[in-house]
Amino acid sequence: MKSPSPARPFTVIENDWITLADGTRLAARIWMPEGASADPVPAVLEFLPYRKRDGTSPRDESTYPVFAGAGIAGVRVDIRGSGESDGVIDGEYTPRELSDACEIIAWIARQPWSNGAVGMMGISWGGFNCLQVAALKPPALRAVISIASTVDRYNDDIHYKNGCHLSAQLSWAATMLGYQSRSPDPELVGDRWRDMWMERLEGEPFFLEEWLTHQRRDAFWKHGSICEDFDGFPVPALVIAGWADGYRNTPVKALEGLGERARALIGPWVHKYPHFAWPKPRMDFHAEAIAWWRRWLCNEETGVETLPPMRAYILDGPKPALRRNADPGFWVAVKDWADRPTATFAVAADGRLARDPADRSKARAFICSPLDTGTASGEYFTLKPDAEMAGDQRGDDAGSLVYETAPLSDAVTVLGMPDLDLVLACTAERANIAVRLVDIHPDGTATRVAFGVLNLAHRNGNETPESLPPGKDVPVRVTLDACGYRFAPGHRIRLAISTSYWPMILPQPENPGLTIDAGWLTLSLPLLGAHERITVPEPENPNPLPTYIEHAPGRTSRRVERDLTTGLTHYRILEDTGLFEHPGTGLATRDIREETWTIDPADPLSMTGTSTWTCEARRPGWQVKTVATARLACTTTDWLTSADVTAFEGEMQVFEKHFEKVIARDFM
């Protein structure tokens, strides 16, 4: 790719107002290349509810100055009802949100400093909505870069996964309840800050109530899922993800759906921009993005068309840990994604997992996992501040049905989404199944390579779930998440099957167990196949994020507690960002998350979850705080949801609101 030109001077517009057709004013922070009025420039939009003033300012300040120095304006806009923008948020990726984005793109294209070409970028929320907005075909939008996102909102977000209820759904509902309860900054909006704040507090929804009324893949989830019409997607998309993140499937699915319009890249990372993510190695995202933008927004020949369709980092036997600073492995490029070999494994007559064995097992095996099987799963959404990656799997494997190979004589290198086909029976009409692909090191350490979960009522699709026929054999396919991994010689490949994966997925009303017919079990592993070893450049700056003023340090902890008296298992999370002040604005903020999941390993109806967010903002003479708590419990027939939001100005409570709703369980 072409090397960037010397950096161009730029200015930062701390706050500009974009007025929409309905009169709503949205707040924008803009990094403007010098001389753009005389020599118009392209622009990149990032549209989020995470507050440009404080929430995303560190990462914004690591990237948009570099873009501006390359002659690309950066426009960071807060979604209505967040940051300093007017109004109240109405949900996730709603028609209004996407329509607002289209208006913003048109506004950018009309500005005298704009060359009329706009790109859209983001990670997570911004990665989601840039794909969704592109699908609406706003004329000025020419390309997108989508990081840690999805093409299928039902199966690859934080709500449901193949019909299983993810605990991350409550966690994220609590997060958004806390985030959206925060006040705008009086320094930018003036005396109306309090009225704006009260409007938000009164009007903000508890997202979980809406999400739980859509437990199957209906029109609600199809909205914004670009997989519904890959053929109609109009612009080039660079789609990036990390193996340690919950959104690892999207580059694969985007490449398979969009074909030549997509370029896929998957690194070892958690849910972070790849120039400051971990585990390392990192990627020089800035250079990659600038080449992408200058090709599609300026029509320059930067070589991005010659990028291989898939670039991936192949993990080479990392040992499990809560957080890994670096992962062993190597980068590969795959030019022909559709034409790759597959290795099939089955259970041999001796009970071992073997590659195409001559004689298959004729055994049937019963598994009914303790309901706290899964505490080594790590977090589905590995975000902050020290997100938990999957741990040593030996504890979870103890509650699972396990098949494994003999020590490998040759390496097996996998890239893609494995499938497990099996025949099973259940005495009840409802059950979940969780499947894990595990690397067993010579010393017995067990590294999770990939996992898949399935609500068995969704075995034939997510739109029309159907009960299991009690006591009868049914064929089932479980597709595991994408992985890139080398099983080294001397290691063993393990397949672990459980009926619980808590707290990542929430249990069914019963835990009846499953009978597996080992003779029908077939594990299909997509092999790396033809490839080239490549180098993906790393960033020159190892610490690209700015340093803010620390008033109180951050801290984090995660604990699994098994109470021998009550028999309950508790999974506890504490994340405290610490109190940090932006040196340019004087605004100091702190967010604290306290979350607990509890279950009796023998009683699925004992499951409860509680997540509390405490959000503070202050500067001399001004201090506000909100406390948002979300709860989830269940009965045989219903989900029991509730939430509270309390707000304080100084030491005085100024607002309180309560949510409570009972929502029927729908085949889960």
Side-chain angles (χ1 to χ4, degrees), residues 494-556:
R494 175 179 289 176
L495 180 69
I497 302 171
S498 60
T499 57
S500 178
Y501 207 42
W502 178 93
M504 183 176 287
I505 66 171
L506 304 184
Q508 295 275 0
E510 302 177 67
N511 187 32
L514 299 171
T515 298
I516 308 293
D517 188 330
W520 287 96
L521 186 151
T522 301
L523 174 66
S524 301
L525 298 182
L527 300 179
L528 173 59
H531 68 281
E532 295 179 15
R533 292 273 188 118
I534 61 170
T535 298
V536 172
E538 298 189 43
E540 291 184 8
N541 183 358
N543 298 300
L545 297 179
T547 301
Y548 292 174
I549 301 166
E550 180 181 308
H551 294 293
R555 59 196 177 103
T556 184

Side-chain angles (χ1 to χ4, degrees), residues 80-318:
R80 67 167 80 204
S82 62
E84 282 64 56
S85 291
D86 291 350
V88 178
I89 198 168
D90 66 341
E92 241 186 358
Y93 323 123
T94 65
R96 189 180 73 182
E97 174 189 330
L98 304 186
S99 173
D100 288 352
C102 291
E103 280 199 61
I104 295 166
I105 290 167
W107 178 89
I108 293 171
R110 291 195 305 268
Q111 300 310 298
W113 48 261
S114 170
N115 74 350
V118 180
M120 199 169 175
M121 179 185 87
I123 184 171
S124 199
W125 195 301
F128 278 54
N129 68 16
C130 75
L131 292 174
Q132 296 167 14
V133 170
L136 298 177
K137 302 180 177 66
L141 185 63
R142 308 292 171 78
V144 299
I145 299 177
S146 180
I147 307 166
S149 65
T150 190
V151 299
D152 182 348
R153 290 184 57 212
Y154 184 81
N155 277 315
D156 278 315
D157 195 4
I158 51 80
H159 307 289
Y160 306 101
K161 193 172 185 67
N162 297 315
C164 294
H165 187 179
L166 292 168
S167 63
Q169 176 155 251
L170 174 72
S171 302
W172 193 242
T175 303
M176 290 307 298
L177 195 63
Y179 280 4
Q180 295 309 120
S181 70
R182 296 179 291 186
S183 162
D185 187 349
E187 187 174 87
L188 294 182
V189 302
D191 291 341
R192 67 191 187 103
W193 74 269
R194 188 179 287 103
D195 290 341
M196 292 176 67
W197 188 29
M198 290 299 128
E199 180 188 15
R200 290 180 190 179
L201 290 166
E202 290 283 358
E204 69 167 330
F206 180 34
F207 288 1
L208 184 64
E209 292 181 341
E210 181 175 47
W211 297 337
L212 267 181
T213 60
H214 300 278
Q215 295 170 47
R216 57 181 75 184
R217 195 175 185 276
D218 58 13
F220 178 81
W221 301 111
K222 292 179 184 179
H223 162 77
S225 293
I226 69 163
C227 63
E228 293 295 304
D229 183 20
F230 276 131
D231 290 341
F233 191 86
V235 300
L238 176 59
V239 185
I240 300 172
W243 296 130
D245 187 23
Y247 298 104
R248 59 186 74 83
N249 293 330
T250 302
V252 172
K253 292 184 176 181
L255 180 60
E256 293 174 350
L258 296 176
E260 281 300 311
R261 285 161 294 168
R263 292 294 184 271
L265 188 145
I266 313 176
W269 313 300
V270 297
H271 193 81
K272 296 288 183 186
Y273 269 90
H275 59 298
F276 59 84
W278 70 89
K280 298 175 182 177
R282 292 170 172 166
M283 165 202 172
D284 188 355
F285 172 73
H286 293 153
E288 179 104 8
I290 288 168
W292 190 259
W293 299 133
R294 298 208 67 82
R295 172 63 186 93
W296 303 118
L297 306 185
C298 302
N299 203 31
E300 294 181 8
E301 296 297 330
T302 62
V304 298
E305 295 100 328
T306 66
L307 289 171
M310 170 63 77
R311 288 170 291 165
Y313 188 76
I314 304 299
L315 302 178
D316 196 359

